[in-house]
Amino acid sequence: MAILIDEKVKLVIQGITGRQGSFHCRQMLEYGTRVVAGVSPGKGGHEVCGVPVYDTVEEAVATRGANASCVFVPAPFAKDAVFEALDAGIKLVVVITEHIPLHDALDIVAFAQERGATVVGPNTFGVISPGRCKIGIMPNRIYCPGPVGVAARSGTLSYEVVASLSLAGLGQSTVVGVGGDRVTGLGFVQLLKQFERDEHTRVIVLVGEIGGTAEEEAAEYIKSLSKPVVAYLAGRNAPPGKRMGHAGAIIERGKGSFASKVRALRSAGVAVAELPWEVPALVQRALTA
Amino acid sequence: MAILIDEKVKLVIQGITGRQGSFHCRQMLEYGTRVVAGVSPGKGGHEVCGVPVYDTVEEAVATRGANASCVFVPAPFAKDAVFEALDAGIKLVVVITEHIPLHDALDIVAFAQERGATVVGPNTFGVISPGRCKIGIMPNRIYCPGPVGVAARSGTLSYEVVASLSLAGLGQSTVVGVGGDRVTGLGFVQLLKQFERDEHTRVIVLVGEIGGTAEEEAAEYIKSLSKPVVAYLAGRNAPPGKRMGHAGAIIERGKGSFASKVRALRSAGVAVAELPWEVPALVQRALTA
Amino acid sequence: MKLYEFMAKEILERHGIRIPPGQVVDTPEEAASVASRLGPVVLKAQVLAGGRGKAGGVVFATSPAEARRRAERMLGSRIQGYPVERILVEKRLDIEQELYVGIVVDGSARRPVLLASARGGVDVEEVPDAELIRRKIDVRWGLMPYRAREVALRLGLPRQLVPAFADIACRMYGAFRQYDAELVECNPLAVTPDGLVAADARLNVDDEALFRQKQLPRVHDDTPLERKVKELGLSYVQLDGDIAVMANGAGITMATIDVLQKFGGRPANFLDVGGGAAAEPMAKAMAVLLEARPRALLINIFGGITRCDDVARAVLEVRGSRPFDLPVVVRLVGTNEDEGMRLLREAGIEAYRSMEEAAAAVVRLARGEA
Amino acid sequence: MKLYEFMAKEILERHGIRIPPGQVVDTPEEAASVASRLGPVVLKAQVLAGGRGKAGGVVFATSPAEARRRAERMLGSRIQGYPVERILVEKRLDIEQELYVGIVVDGSARRPVLLASARGGVDVEEVPDAELIRRKIDVRWGLMPYRAREVALRLGLPRQLVPAFADIACRMYGAFRQYDAELVECNPLAVTPDGLVAADARLNVDDEALFRQKQLPRVHDDTPLERKVKELGLSYVQLDGDIAVMANGAGITMATIDVLQKFGGRPANFLDVGGGAAAEPMAKAMAVLLEARPRALLINIFGGITRCDDVARAVLEVRGSRPFDLPVVVRLVGTNEDEGMRLLREAGIEAYRSMEEAAAAVVRLARGEA
């Protein structure tokens, strides 16, 4: 078991002919993901790493039975790409693209909700269920299967944490990047819900950071959770204000700071690590408690 | 039994303080409709014919339990009024207002669909289940309860037909105006579906006219219907082209003419009357067949 | 409201769609001068009629002198009854293929639809169904580029034109929404060596939305009498018979005309005074009807929103202020019916409750059978 | 990108929202001349800082002479570090009540929200939760008048102001969508004897959408160094320590700074080279970091999209083209990690696989403990 993705995924890569798209197509194939198609408008009929390229997602779905998409399309065109995937009936879209305009992200999230689909990201490193399937740009070799579910806001920081887990012999059920942008499709709360239901997951690790209120909301939800949660948060010494600015502060109203997040998580019973490499010990303790 | 409305309706009238709104409020009350509230922004706290007026539909729903709305709001503000009603959770909105912009009607229909609600109209005379409930502007005294379900595009023409039915002793289960505009919420097909399910309705009368393809679509659907259908259509001698113009013609592609509609209905087994006052005899024949 | 081709093109150009270089002129001299600037040109009569091409409303000229001659002949002529007052003189395009692309409201789908065909340039009604692509548009999201690309591919467009086609279709949809259009059309959308160009364009605006489309020009497409009645907020079409007809509601007005024809009468007009007609505009509408000198007048009112007493008062008001000796038959049923009948009968006007009787009576009266 | 007050107001005015009569000036003489035209005025320093009022950035003047004096004092002064180069001189309003109204993106709701309070004029963060109304907006339908009216009623506005408030809120939402705004705000929206006036306004635009907001002015709100790095497509904030930091990803960059602090080091900056950083901009970014003359440099790369060999080559390229003698520590893990490590070690640069070791090493080096 795992959440979101497993061996049943048949992936279409949107933007497969670009530099990142083709590089990570190979990486995903190497990991064992069934990449069944690529889409690149105007490039239909080509191949990338042996994967057939189509002009439209509709064709990729009709011809190759694609049921999940990974989007590498440049930011100005990413909304169109995600809409195309959702409109073609795809229920899981992983949006790697960064720098997507905020209003496009709002539209993407609203359209996904309307279609009852899951959008991971934008600006995510992706999703991986180690040993089963990978959709994203994370390095292949740091993951191993196991009982730890990981949900992270930041890609490289999650690699850091996951690598230390794997080194300590603590494998992962699924590792998910919620995405670094202000507005993303999938959030911590929905992931906690899924990890709670996933029988293979025994402990959950949150990798958070300052800004926004995702950690505070997660903390609220964690109170009703049966599984233990460990967290690491970045940004204790981040320069104040610069990151989120006024618009964020209005909504956050005092939440969003490092102190607020740590307080909320601790009061929900979460073990919060001080340094990234302290996470494995806390996970170990949770597993053996 | 009846369709769409019965004694359980608790009606809010939007635009109740206007000339038409207040006049028809009285008419509906006299018919026995439970008009529980009126809405007129800026007029909250007033009364019309003893009905309390609120500033918002939300208040009318919260305070008075309104579950249906009748909209008399002037065309430029009608979309806002319908959205307000739907957003307040009302599932049946009867839009009397005429001259609503086409694009507003498109939005209204899309929003109603999103909310799983029924919009009758715009530009409808309303809905009446004789002896039970009336929402609309039709004259009170021409209706009587009975087994004939009537769906009409035009108000006064339906009065003509209904009056002749009543005069012949043929009462009505429900009479519905789909509305005279190009884009309306409820159409003939949905009404046929409901009349087919309604045990009280034994025969269905369609009052149609040239333009659009509603009658042709109805004819297609009627082929699968168990109940007999009688129709009268206006526009045999209408000046060609003037009414719908090019935009309509593109979509209709040959449908939309009087001849096309009569042909379609007759081939679906519908008895088509030549003159409005011939309808009762055809209904009588269908009932005794 | 239909816009003239040149107006529709101006708007599409503002929305980023390429149109041919050209200019509207109303004299042969100007036509010649534009031609001397543009080289070989096409002269297009600016009239609201369809099928303008077949009627001689689109001609070519290879020299300024020829442009002048052609314009001279065209200006002041009539195309399907419309006088040609302006000509659009455009650079003649090198057209490789003519596409059709339009956005229109589909009343049965209750949505806008994108229509496209690789067989443009002709009346779209003549394109066989199998060669016309239709795609419904969700008003919540509008027309998205991926959908327009899919259509372009299905049209068989060369790959390098697909993004341009999608761009044009999306911009057309933008204009469609922004201007409350019933129809936005490029026919043909021309494939030229320089890319896609809107060689012809239409933009029909929803009359009901004109109140919020203040920036658009106003174009009138009706007879003076029709305009006069329309200004009263009523719906009017002139016919060629002798019985003036006034009824309340499009359906019953059409039915009244059908019944009159069936009874051997000849209706002079279609006049729907609408559901909410008040006494004053109705009185004015009647006065207008009488201007056309019919032989009889039938007023057929089945009251819904309209109150019968208002109608009766309107009739009496018109007769009071501008006495007429024409036979009038009134049919009156519905809200405040008794009061209406009483008022009319007291004033000595023929009034019926039955449409059949009223129609028979007015046909008789129009024949002079009193 | 934050717009200056006067720019935000110009935009809102174009969208039909009333603003006070006024003019932007950059000399005391102009200030006096505007004041002589408008009567009693308010002078508002055009800076991007919040809390401008408390810092003396908003002052009144009752005469042209006073306006000149006030302007003289204000121009060239600094407010929260921002030099005052322009002043907005506006007619002084007769304010009866100050409202707050704003539209902002709520990341947790994943939607825009309308925020409103009857207690405007202060920092909205200071308004108690109970007095701040929030209404989520569905992007598919936008902000509808009925919702804005409901908010106006809940604010306790006098009935006759409700439609005007709703109109302003809906127009603000229109601007919010049209300009890809993160925030549109009127604070205060002033209740005056003549109705509602946007006495102050903000409009912050999403940086990621600037590519399609070509008609908007460009405003820069960063140090020259920050701007230089931003132009390379990287995210940079200056700090006051002596260890330059470069990492890939906002999260790991923040974590690196946290770890350095924990180990007793003092970071000189926050520099996130992002996920997709290529060698060339990274090399340029490093060059910029060195300009600030740090005592050591830590490069912490956990490769995802970023390839470690690119990073290694970038480091070598910078050292090759502009030799530096500053101690550099590189931490390198991930995609093409072996190749990256090999390149660095061959060039004699200190490289680690562990963040802990790398951080400890650079703190030691910065202290001169080599």
Side-chain angles (χ1 to χ4, degrees):
Chain A
M1 286 284 290
I3 71 166
L4 293 172
I5 62 169
D6 58 21
E7 296 85 349
K8 289 189 287 290
V9 163
K10 291 186 187 173
L11 188 69
V12 54
I13 294 179
Q14 293 179 258
I16 194 170
T17 55
R19 186 172 169 276
Q20 298 297 338
S22 56
F23 177 82
H24 289 290
C25 173
R26 180 173 305 280
Q27 296 279 318
M28 286 188 250
L29 286 168
E30 279 172 9
Y31 197 76
T33 303
R34 284 201 289 170
V35 182
V36 298
V39 167
S40 214
K43 301 275 173 59
H46 291 227
E47 273 196 1
V48 171
C49 310
V51 173
V53 178
Y54 299 91
D55 282 304
T56 68
V57 179
E58 256 172 22
E59 281 176 278
V61 170
T63 315
R64 306 285 299 169
N67 59 16
S69 169
C70 188
V71 175
F72 287 95
V73 171
F77 315 106
K79 173 183 157 184
D80 188 53
V82 178
F83 270 59
E84 181 178 2
L86 294 171
D87 202 14
I90 287 186
K91 295 296 180 202
L92 177 70
V93 182
V94 178
V95 187
I96 307 301
T97 311
E98 52 182 356
H99 302 302
I100 292 182
L102 182 61
H103 285 254
D104 288 0
L106 289 169
D107 289 352
I108 286 171
V109 168
F111 191 55
Q113 200 166 19
E114 191 182 300
R115 295 299 174 104
T118 300
V119 166
V120 182
N123 191 10
T124 177
F125 58 90
V127 187
I128 183 167
S129 294
R132 297 159 178 271
C133 183
K134 156 186 158 172
I135 304 180
I137 58 172
M138 58 288 273
N140 287 356
R141 55 180 189 162
I142 61 172
Y143 301 88
C144 59
V148 187
V150 181
R153 280 172 69 179
S154 168
T156 42
L157 185 55
S158 83
Y159 309 162
E160 189 75 48
V161 170
V162 166
S164 70
L165 283 170
S166 293
L167 206 65
L170 296 161
Q172 305 88 42
S173 54
T174 304
V175 179
V176 187
V178 297
D181 288 354
R182 185 116 45 96
V183 169
T184 58
L186 202 65
F188 279 154
V189 170
Q190 294 100 309
L191 287 171
L192 288 166
K193 208 173 291 185
Q194 297 207 35
F195 278 131
E196 172 80 358
R197 275 202 304 263
D198 174 43
E199 32 184 292
H200 197 78
T201 302
R202 292 175 52 208
V203 57
I204 304 162
V205 172
L206 291 188
V207 182
E209 59 192 55
I210 54 160
T213 58
E215 290 78 7
E216 283 87 342
E217 284 147 35
E220 201 46 46
Y221 189 77
I222 285 168
K223 292 178 181 166
S224 67
L225 231 57
S226 72
K227 297 181 181 176
V229 179
V230 171
Y232 172 73
L233 302 177
R236 179 192 290 268
N237 300 291
K242 282 281 188 180
R243 209 170 168 279
M244 296 300 296
H246 184 65
I250 288 181
I251 287 296
E252 292 166 13
R253 296 179 72 76
K255 296 179 186 174
S257 72
F258 187 84
S260 146
K261 289 175 191 302
V262 170
R263 201 182 317 119
L265 287 167
R266 291 221 162 111
S267 82
V270 175
V272 182
E274 296 258 322
L275 290 163
W277 51 85
E278 289 174 7
V279 170
L282 296 178
V283 167
Q284 195 64 65
R285 196 177 309 159
L287 279 173
T288 52
Chain B
M1 285 283 290
I3 69 166
L4 293 172
I5 63 169
D6 59 21
E7 296 84 350
K8 290 190 285 291
V9 163
K10 291 186 187 174
L11 189 69
V12 54
I13 295 179
Q14 292 179 259
I16 194 170
T17 56
R19 185 171 169 275
Q20 298 297 338
S22 57
F23 176 82
H24 288 291
C25 174
R26 181 173 303 280
Q27 296 278 318
M28 285 187 251
L29 286 169
E30 280 173 9
Y31 197 78
T33 303
R34 285 201 288 170
V35 182
V36 298
V39 167
S40 215
K43 301 278 173 57
H46 291 229
E47 272 197 1
V48 171
C49 310
V51 173
V53 178
Y54 299 90
D55 282 304
T56 68
V57 179
E58 256 173 21
E59 282 177 277
V61 169
T63 315
R64 308 283 299 169
N67 58 17
S69 168
C70 188
V71 174
F72 287 96
V73 171
F77 315 107
K79 173 183 156 184
D80 188 53
V82 178
F83 271 58
E84 182 179 0
L86 294 170
D87 202 13
I90 287 188
K91 294 297 179 200
L92 177 70
V93 182
V94 178
V95 187
I96 307 300
T97 311
E98 50 182 359
H99 302 302
I100 292 182
L102 183 62
H103 286 253
D104 287 2
L106 289 169
D107 289 352
I108 286 171
V109 168
F111 192 55
Q113 201 167 19
E114 192 181 301
R115 294 300 173 105
T118 301
V119 166
V120 183
N123 191 10
T124 177
F125 57 91
V127 187
I128 183 168
S129 295
R132 297 158 178 271
C133 183
K134 157 186 156 170
I135 303 180
I137 58 172
M138 57 290 271
N140 286 355
R141 56 183 186 159
I142 61 172
Y143 300 89
C144 57
V148 187
V150 181
R153 281 172 68 180
S154 167
T156 41
L157 186 55
S158 83
Y159 308 163
E160 190 75 49
V161 170
V162 166
S164 71
L165 284 170
S166 293
L167 204 66
L170 296 161
Q172 305 87 41
S173 54
T174 303
V175 180
V176 188
V178 296
D181 288 354
R182 185 116 45 98
V183 169
T184 59
L186 201 65
F188 278 154
V189 170
Q190 294 98 312
L191 286 171
L192 288 166
K193 209 174 289 185
Q194 297 210 34
F195 278 130
E196 172 82 359
R197 275 202 304 262
D198 175 42
E199 32 183 293
H200 196 79
T201 301
R202 292 176 49 211
V203 56
I204 303 161
V205 172
L206 292 188
V207 182
E209 59 192 55
I210 53 162
T213 58
E215 290 78 7
E216 283 87 341
E217 283 147 35
E220 202 47 46
Y221 189 76
I222 285 167
K223 291 177 183 168
S224 67
L225 231 58
S226 72
K227 295 182 182 175
V229 179
V230 171
Y232 171 73
L233 302 178
R236 179 191 289 269
N237 300 290
K242 282 280 186 180
R243 212 170 165 279
M244 297 301 297
H246 184 66
I250 290 181
I251 288 296
E252 293 166 12
R253 296 178 70 79
K255 294 178 187 174
S257 72
F258 187 84
S260 146
K261 288 174 191 302
V262 170
R263 200 182 318 119
L265 288 168
R266 290 221 163 112
S267 81
V270 174
V272 182
E274 296 258 320
L275 290 162
W277 51 83
E278 289 173 4
V279 170
L282 296 178
V283 167
Q284 194 65 63
R285 198 177 306 159
L287 279 172
T288 52
Chain C
M1 180 183 75
K2 295 177 187 172
L3 296 186
Y4 288 102
E5 176 191 8
F6 76 93
M7 294 172 171
K9 280 182 166 169
E10 246 173 60
I11 287 174
L12 292 184
E13 192 182 29
R14 273 208 304 277
H15 278 255
I17 295 172
R18 204 138 65 91
I19 61 170
Q23 195 180 315
V24 188
V25 304
D26 55 11
T27 65
E29 291 66 38
E30 280 178 286
S33 124
V34 175
S36 69
R37 182 160 55 81
L38 295 178
V41 292
V42 55
L43 289 84
K44 306 170 85 178
Q46 296 299 291
V47 290
L48 299 174
R52 173 182 61 173
K54 289 171 201 152
V58 180
V59 296
F60 298 103
T62 50
S63 69
E66 191 184 1
R68 180 197 309 264
R69 268 200 319 280
R70 298 274 193 193
E72 217 153 30
R73 207 172 312 154
M74 201 181 264
L75 285 164
S77 73
R78 280 181 172 265
I79 291 182
Q80 293 174 23
Y82 290 89
V84 179
E85 288 163 358
R86 279 173 295 198
I87 298 175
L88 178 59
V89 183
E90 284 181 339
K91 190 178 170 66
R92 190 168 176 175
L93 296 174
D94 181 6
I95 297 181
E96 294 168 357
Q97 190 189 352
E98 298 191 321
L99 310 173
Y100 174 88
V101 54
I103 293 165
V104 62
V105 172
D106 183 340
S108 119
R110 298 167 164 77
R111 285 192 178 195
V113 287
L114 169 66
L115 297 174
S117 172
R119 284 181 50 177
V122 298
D123 247 11
V124 69
E125 291 91 329
E126 291 166 16
V127 175
D129 243 351
E131 296 185 37
L132 187 66
I133 298 171
R134 300 158 173 249
R135 293 289 180 270
K136 289 176 198 165
I137 299 169
D138 187 334
V139 290
R140 296 176 300 182
W141 301 112
L143 178 61
M144 298 281 291
Y146 69 88
R147 179 54 61 208
R149 285 199 307 270
E150 181 261 330
V151 167
L153 288 167
R154 214 162 290 250
L155 287 178
L157 282 195
R159 280 239 168 100
Q160 73 276 12
L161 290 179
V162 168
F165 178 91
D167 186 62
I168 289 170
C170 292
R171 287 174 192 274
M172 284 173 68
Y173 183 78
F176 173 78
R177 285 292 276 184
Q178 178 171 342
Y179 300 109
D180 274 302
E182 293 177 342
L183 166 79
V184 179
E185 195 179 79
C186 293
N187 185 24
L189 178 65
V191 180
T192 76
D194 304 328
L196 299 175
V197 182
D200 196 355
R202 288 193 195 198
L203 200 156
N204 298 355
V205 181
D206 175 19
D207 287 329
E208 309 294 15
L210 288 177
F211 72 90
R212 64 186 177 197
Q213 292 296 343
K214 298 199 168 66
Q215 78 288 18
L216 287 180
R218 289 300 182 262
V219 176
H220 298 287
D221 173 25
D222 36 23
T223 67
L225 199 58
E226 283 171 358
R227 195 173 316 167
K228 207 160 172 179
V229 185
K230 201 182 272 174
E231 275 160 13
L232 302 173
L234 311 175
S235 171
Y236 177 82
V237 182
Q238 220 165 300
L239 303 175
D240 54 5
D242 52 15
I243 303 176
V245 174
M246 182 170 126
N248 66 328
I252 207 166
T253 309
M254 284 193 282
T256 305
I257 286 169
D258 292 348
V259 168
L260 284 179
Q261 293 262 12
K262 184 105 180 164
F263 281 28
R266 290 170 48 242
N269 66 277
F270 170 102
L271 174 62
D272 169 15
V273 296
E280 204 193 316
M282 273 195 9
K284 283 192 185 144
M286 273 180 60
V288 170
L289 285 187
L290 296 178
E291 272 176 36
R293 308 191 163 279
R295 302 186 55 175
L297 168 60
L298 172 61
I299 300 174
N300 185 10
I301 302 293
F302 206 119
I305 278 190
T306 306
R307 306 185 197 182
C308 295
D309 52 336
D310 284 353
V311 176
R313 277 190 208 95
V315 174
L316 298 179
E317 193 181 309
V318 177
R319 209 181 54 163
S321 63
R322 281 181 46 177
F324 51 83
D325 55 1
L326 160 103
V328 177
V329 176
V330 180
R331 189 279 182 118
L332 218 47
V333 179
T335 304
N336 296 356
E337 162 190 325
D338 295 339
E339 173 72 359
M341 295 290 274
R342 192 185 58 76
L343 287 170
L344 288 173
R345 283 178 180 157
E346 275 175 10
I349 288 180
E350 230 175 302
Y352 297 90
R353 280 207 164 82
S354 142
M355 184 167 166
E356 190 170 6
E357 286 170 21
V362 79
V363 169
R364 203 172 54 236
L365 287 166
R367 283 187 189 140
E369 298 171 13
Chain D
M1 180 183 76
K2 294 178 187 172
L3 295 186
Y4 288 103
E5 176 191 8
F6 76 93
M7 294 172 172
K9 280 182 166 170
E10 246 173 60
I11 287 174
L12 293 184
E13 191 182 29
R14 273 209 303 279
H15 278 254
I17 295 172
R18 206 138 64 90
I19 61 170
Q23 194 180 316
V24 188
V25 305
D26 54 10
T27 65
E29 290 66 38
E30 282 178 286
S33 126
V34 174
S36 69
R37 183 159 56 80
L38 295 179
V41 292
V42 56
L43 288 83
K44 306 170 85 177
Q46 297 300 290
V47 290
L48 298 175
R52 172 184 61 172
K54 290 173 201 152
V58 179
V59 297
F60 298 103
T62 51
S63 69
E66 190 184 1
R68 180 196 309 266
R69 268 199 320 278
R70 299 276 194 191
E72 217 153 30
R73 206 172 313 154
M74 201 181 263
L75 284 164
S77 73
R78 281 182 171 264
I79 291 181
Q80 293 175 22
Y82 289 89
V84 180
E85 288 163 359
R86 280 173 296 198
I87 298 175
L88 178 58
V89 184
E90 284 181 339
K91 190 177 169 68
R92 189 168 176 176
L93 296 174
D94 180 4
I95 297 180
E96 295 167 357
Q97 189 188 353
E98 297 191 322
L99 310 173
Y100 173 88
V101 54
I103 294 166
V104 62
V105 172
D106 182 339
S108 121
R110 298 166 165 77
R111 285 192 177 194
V113 286
L114 169 66
L115 297 174
S117 173
R119 284 181 50 178
V122 298
D123 246 11
V124 69
E125 290 91 329
E126 291 167 16
V127 176
D129 243 350
E131 296 186 37
L132 187 66
I133 298 171
R134 299 159 173 247
R135 293 289 179 270
K136 289 175 198 165
I137 299 170
D138 186 334
V139 290
R140 296 177 301 181
W141 301 112
L143 178 60
M144 297 281 291
Y146 70 87
R147 180 54 60 209
R149 285 199 307 271
E150 181 261 330
V151 168
L153 288 167
R154 215 162 290 248
L155 287 179
L157 282 196
R159 279 238 168 101
Q160 73 275 12
L161 290 179
V162 169
F165 178 91
D167 186 61
I168 288 170
C170 291
R171 288 173 192 275
M172 284 173 68
Y173 183 77
F176 173 79
R177 284 292 276 185
Q178 178 171 342
Y179 300 109
D180 274 300
E182 293 176 343
L183 166 80
V184 179
E185 195 180 78
C186 293
N187 186 23
L189 177 65
V191 180
T192 76
D194 304 328
L196 299 175
V197 182
D200 196 355
R202 287 195 196 198
L203 201 156
N204 297 358
V205 181
D206 174 19
D207 287 330
E208 309 293 14
L210 288 177
F211 72 89
R212 63 186 178 197
Q213 293 295 344
K214 299 199 169 66
Q215 77 289 17
L216 288 180
R218 290 297 182 266
V219 176
H220 298 288
D221 172 25
D222 36 23
T223 67
L225 199 57
E226 283 171 356
R227 196 174 315 168
K228 208 160 172 180
V229 185
K230 202 181 272 176
E231 275 160 14
L232 301 173
L234 312 173
S235 172
Y236 177 82
V237 182
Q238 220 164 300
L239 303 174
D240 55 4
D242 53 14
I243 304 176
V245 174
M246 181 171 126
N248 65 331
I252 207 167
T253 310
M254 285 193 283
T256 306
I257 287 169
D258 292 349
V259 168
L260 285 179
Q261 292 262 12
K262 184 105 180 163
F263 282 29
R266 291 170 46 242
N269 67 277
F270 170 103
L271 174 62
D272 168 17
V273 297
E280 203 194 317
M282 274 193 10
K284 284 191 183 144
M286 275 182 57
V288 171
L289 286 187
L290 296 178
E291 274 176 35
R293 309 191 164 280
R295 301 188 54 177
L297 167 61
L298 171 62
I299 299 174
N300 184 10
I301 301 294
F302 204 118
I305 277 190
T306 305
R307 306 185 198 182
C308 296
D309 52 335
D310 283 354
V311 177
R313 276 188 209 99
V315 174
L316 298 180
E317 192 180 310
V318 177
R319 208 182 53 165
S321 63
R322 280 183 46 180
F324 50 85
D325 57 1
L326 158 105
V328 177
V329 175
V330 181
R331 187 281 182 117
L332 218 47
V333 180
T335 303
N336 296 354
E337 162 190 324
D338 295 339
E339 172 72 0
M341 296 289 275
R342 190 185 57 77
L343 287 169
L344 288 172
R345 284 179 179 155
E346 276 176 9
I349 289 181
E350 228 175 301
Y352 297 89
R353 281 208 164 83
S354 142
M355 184 165 165
E356 191 171 4
E357 288 170 20
V362 80
V363 169
R364 202 172 55 236
L365 288 165
R367 284 190 188 134
E369 298 170 12

